[in-house]
Amino acid sequence: MTESTESAERLARPLIHLARLVGLATSYIGMSDDYHEIDDDVLKALLGALGVDAHDDDAIDDSVVRILRERHGRLVAPTVLHVVGKEDRVLLNTGIMQIPSATITLENGDEYQGALEPGAGDGSQAYEVDGKFVATASITIPADLPMGYHTLHVSVGDRTQDATLISAPERIPMLPAMEHDQLWGWMAQLYSIRSAGSWGVGDFEDLKTLMVDSHSKTGADFMLVNPLHACEPVAPLTPSPYLPISRRFINFTYIRPEAIEEYAGLGDDLKSQIGELHAQAEPLNGDAQIIDRDSMWRVKMHALWLIFKAGRSEERQKAFDDYKSTSAEGLEAYATWCLCYDKWGAPTGEADSWEKRLDKNSDEVQGLRRQFPDTLDFYRWLEWIADEQLGAAQQAAKDAGMQIGLMADMAVGVHPSGSDVWWNPECFAKGATVGAPPDYFNQQGQDWSQPPLNPIELENTGYLTYRHMVQGMFAHAGAVRIDHILGLFRLWWIPSGRTPKDGAYVQYDSEIMLGILALEASRAHGVVVGEDLGVVPDHVSTSLSAHQVLGCAVEWFEQMDGKFRAPKDWREFSLASVNTHDLPPAAGYLAYEHVELRERLGLIEGSVEDFEQNARAEHKAMMVMLIVNGYLDPDLLKDEKAHEQEIVEALYRGLRGSPCKLLAASIVDGVGELRAQNQPGTNNEYPNWRIPLADGKGNVVPLEELFSNTRLLSLAKVMQGR
């Protein structure tokens, strides 16, 4: 019998005990049900990344004692979750025979007037802490505590301690339109879709048009786009939207200069200068091979500086000042980082680079802020304008009748040298990055190069970093898709200098993080979709369903033992799609673009022949499923190339045959594009995230022609059930 659990002898080892004590998994089950135990050196390195010393046996013993003393010695955990409408007990550590008392300060500053009754603990044993015995007691949190982020004040004898008390709904309310029906929308890479007014890259005005036109001309109720997180201030810009500088702020390179309110009031000379700059970028709109962000941004940034320096009315300046006041330290973090990058160059990650030598309080940083006040304010202003234009796009979508409007995408993490990490390094693990273990689709594993949030620091700070991020995501979106939502439960951490195979899972408090999602989604009347592809433990699926977080059903992944599952058997609470951005569009996948690409890039482990044979078997199995379920006429398979569009539409009829609450059609499938946007496991070997929208013949499809495209309109009819 194959081993699948750790032995009693292994579990008794101090290193294993220490790792499990802080949520570091010491074994895991892979995608093929293969069992793995984590090597000692990996565990020690990741404990170090968590700030726990485990370099030798004495250090391990000392760390265990320290952690237990801290946990048993505190009155209350730093962060406590309460479910709205239910009576909860908060466990406390008290002296023997001591009776605790507590009060609550509500989020708005008022004192909660309900009674907080003391009670017994959980029946656990007493502990000795610094020569005194500690036992558990409890405080009852009444069911009528309102939703919000409150402060719990606990007193026992002459000791007091505060905790962040998160009062969250049990689940995310379902939109009325989704209660008894499906909604459908489009998936798009915003940067890839250009109009005549674009500056070579799709922007917020294009997003507004995308959403309004997709609803009026195809009946779509949402538009899922790539992450719009903040990026670098000057070229070169990181192509991947999944490696942002900050997840709290917006990518200001998507601003449309001519849509800024102040543009209309500019003099003819300034408008002429901006027009000339746009003319320099305009040829980029016709490039079908590559998205050139850097060329775009060099000229657009100049135009934005001209508008910024032209000034604002008193009313508009007040609005800008209000934005700066509301955004407070977070905005200062990003704007200051941008200023340093602008004047000192890109962070390199090396020891002598400014982001390693200097922190936010360094004299050199403060001196730079004083030396260039206009440039610093320019970066604040860019965020304000980006916030306005993204908000205007969402408002236009809702005004047009879209049920959801924008579905924003939340990346897993941030750039290791970005503003989030530089300003608050204590929030992130040091000496580890996030990725994924090997699986069928990525046989070498993945290292996403992003430093993970430290779960210990999250708890100690009331999850403030995560809260700000979620609040920012819902500020201008009707739904949020969370990339790799398993990261709310566990993340695959890779020690610095090791391969993705040499990692381990670190646990997070999913109940608190899902509670925050439920709270913010409730306030925004929004929807949450979790990308839950790959190995998903049963308890994760159960928890997501209980919180009414929708999962993902990808048709090409809905298979078992070489057969595809009938769409009628897919999960109801899901966002269904044919593919993802990590796969070629449907037409490309049917033509084995993924096989040719992986062979060319050397990403196939084992023989190419075996990989291609498996791909052809998968293709055949999909066609069988479509035929058996009545979505595809088998005669069309006699000449697949000639009937490519009909086969693609059959794939989408499968979505319509599912019970899934949300259905998403890819814009690239609407126009017949063949190329993938991203090939995992590559960097510059493939132009990831730089593929413009083009049809099957390689011709650019401009936004003005998108929703009159015959092929796209035909696919839209399938999505409408016609």
Side-chain angles (χ1 to χ4, degrees), residues 151-224:
T151 304
L152 175 67
H153 312 280
V154 177
S155 297
V156 176
D158 59 355
R159 299 171 62 205
T160 61
Q161 187 177 328
D162 291 349
T164 300
L165 176 56
I166 300 174
S167 183
E170 186 173 16
R171 63 181 61 86
I172 298 168
M174 189 68 63
L175 292 183
M178 294 170 59
E179 286 284 358
H180 305 292
D181 202 359
Q182 296 173 318
L183 296 179
W184 81 275
W186 294 101
M187 301 191 300
Q189 301 294 316
L190 175 60
Y191 55 83
S192 72
I193 304 175
R194 289 84 54 90
S195 65
S198 304
W199 291 57
V201 177
D203 58 33
F204 291 133
E205 282 299 296
D206 295 323
L207 175 62
K208 181 191 295 185
T209 303
L210 261 176
M211 292 197 290
V212 171
D213 285 2
S214 71
H215 180 74
S216 65
K217 297 179 180 180
T218 69
D221 273 309
F222 64 85
M223 182 68 65
L224 168 59

Side-chain angles (χ1 to χ4, degrees), residues 385-525:
I385 296 299
D387 185 82
E388 280 196 331
Q389 292 196 358
L390 181 57
Q394 172 65 359
Q395 189 59 54
K398 297 293 283 186
D399 290 346
M402 268 192 159
Q403 293 287 339
I404 293 174
L406 176 64
M407 182 181 291
D409 200 349
M410 180 192 292
V412 176
V414 293
H415 197 290
S417 297
S419 65
D420 285 0
V421 179
W422 179 65
W423 195 266
N424 295 117
E426 69 281 356
C427 294
F428 296 86
K430 299 172 181 64
T433 54
V434 174
D439 58 32
Y440 171 76
F441 295 98
N442 298 281
Q443 298 168 3
Q444 300 165 1
Q446 299 177 64
D447 185 342
W448 303 327
S449 77
Q450 301 157 331
L453 286 168
N454 187 324
I456 298 172
E457 186 67 17
L458 280 173
E459 182 188 28
N460 289 338
T461 57
Y463 287 76
L464 193 61
T465 298
Y466 183 72
R467 285 158 47 187
H468 283 157
M469 181 173 58
V470 177
Q471 288 163 1
M473 294 294 293
F474 270 115
H476 302 308
V480 172
R481 174 193 177 273
I482 301 178
D483 194 41
H484 194 65
I485 199 165
L486 271 70
L488 303 190
F489 297 80
R490 66 181 191 183
L491 276 174
W492 184 255
W493 287 26
I494 305 163
S496 297
R498 304 296 291 260
T499 70
K501 296 179 180 179
D502 301 320
Y505 283 111
V506 175
Q507 309 295 324
Y508 289 78
D509 193 323
S510 60
E511 285 301 302
I512 290 179
M513 298 179 86
L514 287 169
I516 292 169
L517 275 176
L519 195 162
E520 295 299 337
S522 296
R523 286 178 165 174
H525 305 290

Side-chain angles (χ1 to χ4, degrees), residues 147 235 248 492:
M147 184 172 71
R248 184 175 175 184
W492 184 255

